[in-house]
Amino acid sequence: MANRKRVALIGFMGSGKSTVGRLLASEWRVPHIDTDTHVAARAGQQTVGDAFVALGEGAFRSVESTVLADIVKTDEAVISTGGGIVEIAGNQQLLAGWRTVFLYAELDAIMQRLSAPEHAARPLLQDAAGAAHRYNHRLPRYRAWATDEIDTSNLSPQEIVEQIRLITG
Ligand code: S3P
């Protein structure tokens, strides 16, 4: 697995998975696959937030797992996963052949980043206490699933990409 361009990014909403994934995939010249985009398309919705609301969380998770099962068949790619990917235990097996990089950010930093107007459509952030609960519940799972962890606190997206390139040799 060491030198293959086969990376999945995991982490909470707002940790930079989509931005970093896009950049890394473009540098590596491999596809960038965003699970959220595929889930929204399967649900016939414009955005992942709409899909979450339309399906409800249970059905959303099930579509997300189906989409992931398809995506992991790709040989080389950068996958940006939805923040809730760790909610379903079976998704861990699906990611087994993938270098899984956890983009760590503190909850405060995440809430700060996501308070910008362009993030207003995230349904799970309407309730700050609920978001904190999800964060605390997921943190040990991100860590358990990850092959690598990057503390994104003081890093730009480009610097995170460089760290991933170092890790993957
Ligand atoms: C979710 C995160 C979102 C999206 C959906 C649910 C979550 O993805 O999958 O709104 O449960 O954390 P991002 O992490 O890409 O924002």
Side-chain angles (χ1 to χ4, degrees), residues 55-93:
L55 294 172
E57 184 158 4
F60 179 92
R61 296 290 168 223
S62 145
V63 173
E64 188 172 51
S65 293
T66 306
V67 156
L68 183 65
D70 251 6
I71 290 173
V72 293
K73 294 177 191 152
T74 314
D75 180 26
E76 292 193 319
V78 179
I79 304 175
S80 298
T81 63
I85 209 81
V86 293
E87 297 284 355
I88 302 297
N91 292 340
Q92 186 174 13
Q93 278 75 56

mmCIF file of all heavy atoms in Angstrom, residues 55-93:
data_model
loop_
_atom_site.group_PDB
_atom_site.id
_atom_site.type_symbol
_atom_site.label_atom_id
_atom_site.label_comp_id
_atom_site.label_asym_id
_atom_site.label_seq_id
_atom_site.Cartn_x
_atom_site.Cartn_y
_atom_site.Cartn_z
ATOM 1 N N LEU A 55 -33.659 12.170 3.380
ATOM 2 C CA LEU A 55 -33.610 10.737 3.686
ATOM 3 C C LEU A 55 -33.807 10.447 5.165
ATOM 4 O O LEU A 55 -34.290 9.388 5.543
ATOM 5 C CB LEU A 55 -32.244 10.164 3.273
ATOM 6 C CG LEU A 55 -31.910 10.147 1.778
ATOM 7 C CD1 LEU A 55 -30.455 9.733 1.578
ATOM 8 C CD2 LEU A 55 -32.827 9.180 1.038
ATOM 9 N N GLY A 56 -33.375 11.376 6.016
ATOM 10 C CA GLY A 56 -33.290 11.074 7.442
ATOM 11 C C GLY A 56 -31.960 10.374 7.680
ATOM 12 O O GLY A 56 -31.389 9.769 6.759
ATOM 13 N N GLU A 57 -31.470 10.431 8.907
ATOM 14 C CA GLU A 57 -30.103 9.950 9.140
ATOM 15 C C GLU A 57 -29.926 8.459 8.851
ATOM 16 O O GLU A 57 -28.915 8.058 8.274
ATOM 17 C CB GLU A 57 -29.643 10.280 10.571
ATOM 18 C CG GLU A 57 -28.195 9.857 10.776
ATOM 19 C CD GLU A 57 -27.478 10.573 11.897
ATOM 20 O OE1 GLU A 57 -28.116 11.368 12.609
ATOM 21 O OE2 GLU A 57 -26.268 10.331 12.050
ATOM 22 N N GLY A 58 -30.899 7.629 9.229
ATOM 23 C CA GLY A 58 -30.748 6.179 9.034
ATOM 24 C C GLY A 58 -30.553 5.817 7.569
ATOM 25 O O GLY A 58 -29.592 5.129 7.203
ATOM 26 N N ALA A 59 -31.448 6.318 6.718
ATOM 27 C CA ALA A 59 -31.360 6.001 5.284
ATOM 28 C C ALA A 59 -30.130 6.663 4.666
ATOM 29 O O ALA A 59 -29.483 6.097 3.783
ATOM 30 C CB ALA A 59 -32.631 6.454 4.572
ATOM 31 N N PHE A 60 -29.805 7.843 5.159
ATOM 32 C CA PHE A 60 -28.607 8.534 4.657
ATOM 33 C C PHE A 60 -27.377 7.658 4.880
ATOM 34 O O PHE A 60 -26.557 7.465 3.984
ATOM 35 C CB PHE A 60 -28.446 9.881 5.366
ATOM 36 C CG PHE A 60 -27.235 10.666 4.929
ATOM 37 C CD1 PHE A 60 -27.315 11.596 3.902
ATOM 38 C CD2 PHE A 60 -25.994 10.469 5.536
ATOM 39 C CE1 PHE A 60 -26.197 12.308 3.489
ATOM 40 C CE2 PHE A 60 -24.873 11.174 5.132
ATOM 41 C CZ PHE A 60 -24.973 12.099 4.109
ATOM 42 N N ARG A 61 -27.250 7.104 6.088
ATOM 43 C CA ARG A 61 -26.075 6.275 6.407
ATOM 44 C C ARG A 61 -26.031 5.034 5.532
ATOM 45 O O ARG A 61 -24.960 4.563 5.158
ATOM 46 C CB ARG A 61 -26.095 5.854 7.877
ATOM 47 C CG ARG A 61 -25.994 6.983 8.870
ATOM 48 C CD ARG A 61 -24.616 7.637 8.894
ATOM 49 N NE ARG A 61 -24.647 8.888 9.653
ATOM 50 C CZ ARG A 61 -24.051 10.015 9.276
ATOM 51 N NH1 ARG A 61 -23.364 10.074 8.165
ATOM 52 N NH2 ARG A 61 -24.129 11.089 10.007
ATOM 53 N N SER A 62 -27.196 4.514 5.256
ATOM 54 C CA SER A 62 -27.216 3.308 4.448
ATOM 55 C C SER A 62 -26.801 3.613 2.997
ATOM 56 O O SER A 62 -26.011 2.878 2.397
ATOM 57 C CB SER A 62 -28.598 2.696 4.638
ATOM 58 O OG SER A 62 -29.044 2.118 3.529
ATOM 59 N N VAL A 63 -27.278 4.723 2.454
ATOM 60 C CA VAL A 63 -26.850 5.126 1.105
ATOM 61 C C VAL A 63 -25.345 5.421 1.107
ATOM 62 O O VAL A 63 -24.611 5.035 0.191
ATOM 63 C CB VAL A 63 -27.645 6.359 0.610
ATOM 64 C CG1 VAL A 63 -27.090 6.881 -0.709
ATOM 65 C CG2 VAL A 63 -29.118 6.040 0.472
ATOM 66 N N GLU A 64 -24.886 6.050 2.163
ATOM 67 C CA GLU A 64 -23.457 6.403 2.257
ATOM 68 C C GLU A 64 -22.589 5.131 2.223
ATOM 69 O O GLU A 64 -21.548 5.096 1.553
ATOM 70 C CB GLU A 64 -23.237 7.190 3.559
ATOM 71 C CG GLU A 64 -21.870 7.802 3.727
ATOM 72 C CD GLU A 64 -21.808 8.726 4.948
ATOM 73 O OE1 GLU A 64 -22.207 8.298 6.059
ATOM 74 O OE2 GLU A 64 -21.355 9.872 4.800
ATOM 75 N N SER A 65 -23.019 4.092 2.926
ATOM 76 C CA SER A 65 -22.256 2.836 2.934
ATOM 77 C C SER A 65 -22.274 2.175 1.562
ATOM 78 O O SER A 65 -21.262 1.639 1.110
ATOM 79 C CB SER A 65 -22.828 1.856 3.967
ATOM 80 O OG SER A 65 -22.630 2.350 5.259
ATOM 81 N N THR A 66 -23.427 2.235 0.897
ATOM 82 C CA THR A 66 -23.530 1.648 -0.455
ATOM 83 C C THR A 66 -22.595 2.372 -1.417
ATOM 84 O O THR A 66 -21.871 1.744 -2.204
ATOM 85 C CB THR A 66 -24.985 1.787 -0.972
ATOM 86 O OG1 THR A 66 -25.849 1.209 -0.003
ATOM 87 C CG2 THR A 66 -25.177 1.116 -2.303
ATOM 88 N N VAL A 67 -22.600 3.679 -1.320
ATOM 89 C CA VAL A 67 -21.747 4.502 -2.178
ATOM 90 C C VAL A 67 -20.269 4.203 -1.888
ATOM 91 O O VAL A 67 -19.461 4.013 -2.798
ATOM 92 C CB VAL A 67 -22.075 5.997 -1.904
ATOM 93 C CG1 VAL A 67 -20.941 6.908 -2.266
ATOM 94 C CG2 VAL A 67 -23.347 6.403 -2.629
ATOM 95 N N LEU A 68 -19.933 4.099 -0.619
ATOM 96 C CA LEU A 68 -18.539 3.837 -0.248
ATOM 97 C C LEU A 68 -18.097 2.473 -0.774
ATOM 98 O O LEU A 68 -16.975 2.334 -1.280
ATOM 99 C CB LEU A 68 -18.365 3.912 1.279
ATOM 100 C CG LEU A 68 -16.934 3.736 1.776
ATOM 101 C CD1 LEU A 68 -16.028 4.889 1.310
ATOM 102 C CD2 LEU A 68 -16.885 3.617 3.300
ATOM 103 N N ALA A 69 -18.978 1.484 -0.673
ATOM 104 C CA ALA A 69 -18.639 0.132 -1.138
ATOM 105 C C ALA A 69 -18.262 0.152 -2.621
ATOM 106 O O ALA A 69 -17.377 -0.582 -3.059
ATOM 107 C CB ALA A 69 -19.808 -0.809 -0.891
ATOM 108 N N ASP A 70 -18.903 0.997 -3.382
ATOM 109 C CA ASP A 70 -18.603 1.160 -4.809
ATOM 110 C C ASP A 70 -17.278 1.885 -5.014
ATOM 111 O O ASP A 70 -16.444 1.474 -5.809
ATOM 112 C CB ASP A 70 -19.688 2.043 -5.430
ATOM 113 C CG ASP A 70 -20.595 1.253 -6.326
ATOM 114 O OD1 ASP A 70 -20.443 0.033 -6.371
ATOM 115 O OD2 ASP A 70 -21.457 1.893 -6.971
ATOM 116 N N ILE A 71 -17.127 2.969 -4.294
ATOM 117 C CA ILE A 71 -15.968 3.844 -4.478
ATOM 118 C C ILE A 71 -14.658 3.125 -4.154
ATOM 119 O O ILE A 71 -13.652 3.319 -4.832
ATOM 120 C CB ILE A 71 -16.125 5.104 -3.582
ATOM 121 C CG1 ILE A 71 -17.242 6.003 -4.115
ATOM 122 C CG2 ILE A 71 -14.814 5.875 -3.489
ATOM 123 C CD1 ILE A 71 -17.573 7.176 -3.193
ATOM 124 N N VAL A 72 -14.655 2.298 -3.115
ATOM 125 C CA VAL A 72 -13.391 1.670 -2.693
ATOM 126 C C VAL A 72 -12.865 0.646 -3.698
ATOM 127 O O VAL A 72 -11.746 0.179 -3.561
ATOM 128 C CB VAL A 72 -13.490 1.018 -1.287
ATOM 129 C CG1 VAL A 72 -13.683 2.070 -0.218
ATOM 130 C CG2 VAL A 72 -14.573 -0.043 -1.225
ATOM 131 N N LYS A 73 -13.665 0.350 -4.709
ATOM 132 C CA LYS A 73 -13.177 -0.559 -5.753
ATOM 133 C C LYS A 73 -12.188 0.144 -6.678
ATOM 134 O O LYS A 73 -11.482 -0.496 -7.451
ATOM 135 C CB LYS A 73 -14.358 -1.083 -6.584
ATOM 136 C CG LYS A 73 -15.297 -1.962 -5.793
ATOM 137 C CD LYS A 73 -16.475 -2.362 -6.678
ATOM 138 C CE LYS A 73 -17.575 -3.013 -5.854
ATOM 139 N NZ LYS A 73 -18.896 -2.804 -6.461
ATOM 140 N N THR A 74 -12.172 1.472 -6.615
ATOM 141 C CA THR A 74 -11.247 2.251 -7.446
ATOM 142 C C THR A 74 -9.809 1.879 -7.082
ATOM 143 O O THR A 74 -9.508 1.639 -5.918
ATOM 144 C CB THR A 74 -11.453 3.754 -7.170
ATOM 145 O OG1 THR A 74 -12.843 4.020 -7.171
ATOM 146 C CG2 THR A 74 -10.773 4.618 -8.205
ATOM 147 N N ASP A 75 -8.960 1.845 -8.100
ATOM 148 C CA ASP A 75 -7.572 1.450 -7.834
ATOM 149 C C ASP A 75 -6.820 2.573 -7.123
ATOM 150 O O ASP A 75 -6.349 2.403 -5.998
ATOM 151 C CB ASP A 75 -6.906 1.091 -9.172
ATOM 152 C CG ASP A 75 -5.463 0.672 -8.967
ATOM 153 O OD1 ASP A 75 -5.139 0.191 -7.865
ATOM 154 O OD2 ASP A 75 -4.657 0.838 -9.903
ATOM 155 N N GLU A 76 -6.716 3.719 -7.792
ATOM 156 C CA GLU A 76 -6.028 4.854 -7.179
ATOM 157 C C GLU A 76 -6.959 6.062 -7.188
ATOM 158 O O GLU A 76 -7.564 6.371 -8.211
ATOM 159 C CB GLU A 76 -4.739 5.180 -7.932
ATOM 160 C CG GLU A 76 -3.693 4.090 -7.782
ATOM 161 C CD GLU A 76 -2.311 4.534 -8.251
ATOM 162 O OE1 GLU A 76 -2.218 5.217 -9.287
ATOM 163 O OE2 GLU A 76 -1.321 4.205 -7.565
ATOM 164 N N ALA A 77 -7.053 6.733 -6.046
ATOM 165 C CA ALA A 77 -7.927 7.906 -5.927
ATOM 166 C C ALA A 77 -7.674 8.543 -4.564
ATOM 167 O O ALA A 77 -7.013 7.966 -3.700
ATOM 168 C CB ALA A 77 -9.395 7.509 -6.028
ATOM 169 N N VAL A 78 -8.199 9.739 -4.416
ATOM 170 C CA VAL A 78 -8.295 10.343 -3.089
ATOM 171 C C VAL A 78 -9.790 10.430 -2.785
ATOM 172 O O VAL A 78 -10.554 11.013 -3.561
ATOM 173 C CB VAL A 78 -7.660 11.746 -3.037
ATOM 174 C CG1 VAL A 78 -7.806 12.334 -1.636
ATOM 175 C CG2 VAL A 78 -6.186 11.688 -3.437
ATOM 176 N N ILE A 79 -10.179 9.826 -1.669
ATOM 177 C CA ILE A 79 -11.587 9.847 -1.264
ATOM 178 C C ILE A 79 -11.744 10.831 -0.112
ATOM 179 O O ILE A 79 -11.037 10.742 0.896
ATOM 180 C CB ILE A 79 -12.063 8.460 -0.770
ATOM 181 C CG1 ILE A 79 -11.827 7.381 -1.817
ATOM 182 C CG2 ILE A 79 -13.529 8.514 -0.380
ATOM 183 C CD1 ILE A 79 -12.172 5.962 -1.324
ATOM 184 N N SER A 80 -12.667 11.767 -0.256
ATOM 185 C CA SER A 80 -13.060 12.609 0.875
ATOM 186 C C SER A 80 -14.357 12.024 1.404
ATOM 187 O O SER A 80 -15.363 11.994 0.683
ATOM 188 C CB SER A 80 -13.271 14.059 0.428
ATOM 189 O OG SER A 80 -12.066 14.591 -0.076
ATOM 190 N N THR A 81 -14.322 11.534 2.629
ATOM 191 C CA THR A 81 -15.511 10.899 3.194
ATOM 192 C C THR A 81 -16.357 11.931 3.934
ATOM 193 O O THR A 81 -15.854 12.971 4.364
ATOM 194 C CB THR A 81 -15.117 9.781 4.181
ATOM 195 O OG1 THR A 81 -14.408 10.348 5.280
ATOM 196 C CG2 THR A 81 -14.259 8.721 3.509
ATOM 197 N N GLY A 82 -17.626 11.605 4.135
ATOM 198 C CA GLY A 82 -18.479 12.438 4.984
ATOM 199 C C GLY A 82 -18.061 12.231 6.446
ATOM 200 O O GLY A 82 -17.581 11.150 6.814
ATOM 201 N N GLY A 83 -18.263 13.258 7.252
ATOM 202 C CA GLY A 83 -17.817 13.198 8.652
ATOM 203 C C GLY A 83 -18.426 12.060 9.450
ATOM 204 O O GLY A 83 -17.853 11.607 10.443
ATOM 205 N N GLY A 84 -19.590 11.569 8.991
ATOM 206 C CA GLY A 84 -20.264 10.519 9.750
ATOM 207 C C GLY A 84 -19.918 9.110 9.292
ATOM 208 O O GLY A 84 -20.556 8.145 9.707
ATOM 209 N N ILE A 85 -18.907 8.986 8.460
ATOM 210 C CA ILE A 85 -18.566 7.670 7.903
ATOM 211 C C ILE A 85 -18.256 6.671 9.022
ATOM 212 O O ILE A 85 -18.511 5.474 8.897
ATOM 213 C CB ILE A 85 -17.380 7.804 6.893
ATOM 214 C CG1 ILE A 85 -17.468 6.733 5.824
ATOM 215 C CG2 ILE A 85 -16.036 7.800 7.560
ATOM 216 C CD1 ILE A 85 -18.398 7.016 4.713
ATOM 217 N N VAL A 86 -17.729 7.167 10.147
ATOM 218 C CA VAL A 86 -17.355 6.270 11.252
ATOM 219 C C VAL A 86 -18.553 5.838 12.091
ATOM 220 O O VAL A 86 -18.399 5.061 13.033
ATOM 221 C CB VAL A 86 -16.285 6.923 12.169
ATOM 222 C CG1 VAL A 86 -14.965 7.092 11.434
ATOM 223 C CG2 VAL A 86 -16.754 8.262 12.723
ATOM 224 N N GLU A 87 -19.750 6.329 11.752
ATOM 225 C CA GLU A 87 -20.940 5.933 12.512
ATOM 226 C C GLU A 87 -21.324 4.484 12.222
ATOM 227 O O GLU A 87 -22.023 3.857 13.008
ATOM 228 C CB GLU A 87 -22.135 6.844 12.162
ATOM 229 C CG GLU A 87 -21.953 8.308 12.521
ATOM 230 C CD GLU A 87 -22.105 8.586 14.022
ATOM 231 O OE1 GLU A 87 -22.445 7.665 14.772
ATOM 232 O OE2 GLU A 87 -21.852 9.748 14.412
ATOM 233 N N ILE A 88 -20.916 3.983 11.066
ATOM 234 C CA ILE A 88 -21.294 2.619 10.674
ATOM 235 C C ILE A 88 -20.048 1.734 10.704
ATOM 236 O O ILE A 88 -19.113 1.917 9.914
ATOM 237 C CB ILE A 88 -21.910 2.622 9.243
ATOM 238 C CG1 ILE A 88 -23.128 3.558 9.191
ATOM 239 C CG2 ILE A 88 -22.270 1.216 8.782
ATOM 240 C CD1 ILE A 88 -24.298 3.172 10.071
ATOM 241 N N ALA A 89 -20.055 0.755 11.617
ATOM 242 C CA ALA A 89 -18.854 -0.061 11.842
ATOM 243 C C ALA A 89 -18.367 -0.723 10.552
ATOM 244 O O ALA A 89 -17.162 -0.798 10.303
ATOM 245 C CB ALA A 89 -19.139 -1.109 12.903
ATOM 246 N N GLY A 90 -19.291 -1.187 9.710
ATOM 247 C CA GLY A 90 -18.907 -1.902 8.497
ATOM 248 C C GLY A 90 -18.089 -1.057 7.530
ATOM 249 O O GLY A 90 -17.350 -1.590 6.699
ATOM 250 N N ASN A 91 -18.191 0.250 7.633
ATOM 251 C CA ASN A 91 -17.411 1.105 6.727
ATOM 252 C C ASN A 91 -15.906 0.964 6.979
ATOM 253 O O ASN A 91 -15.101 1.200 6.089
ATOM 254 C CB ASN A 91 -17.819 2.576 6.888
ATOM 255 C CG ASN A 91 -19.231 2.848 6.391
ATOM 256 O OD1 ASN A 91 -19.774 2.079 5.613
ATOM 257 N ND2 ASN A 91 -19.822 3.955 6.850
ATOM 258 N N GLN A 92 -15.557 0.552 8.188
ATOM 259 C CA GLN A 92 -14.128 0.382 8.499
ATOM 260 C C GLN A 92 -13.527 -0.735 7.629
ATOM 261 O O GLN A 92 -12.424 -0.592 7.106
ATOM 262 C CB GLN A 92 -13.934 0.062 9.983
ATOM 263 C CG GLN A 92 -12.469 0.031 10.388
ATOM 264 C CD GLN A 92 -12.254 -0.148 11.885
ATOM 265 O OE1 GLN A 92 -13.179 -0.494 12.629
ATOM 266 N NE2 GLN A 92 -11.031 0.084 12.337
ATOM 267 N N GLN A 93 -14.271 -1.818 7.462
ATOM 268 C CA GLN A 93 -13.785 -2.914 6.611
ATOM 269 C C GLN A 93 -13.668 -2.445 5.164
ATOM 270 O O GLN A 93 -12.734 -2.799 4.462
ATOM 271 C CB GLN A 93 -14.739 -4.121 6.664
ATOM 272 C CG GLN A 93 -14.530 -5.033 7.867
ATOM 273 C CD GLN A 93 -15.083 -4.417 9.148
ATOM 274 O OE1 GLN A 93 -16.251 -4.076 9.203
ATOM 275 N NE2 GLN A 93 -14.242 -4.258 10.159
#
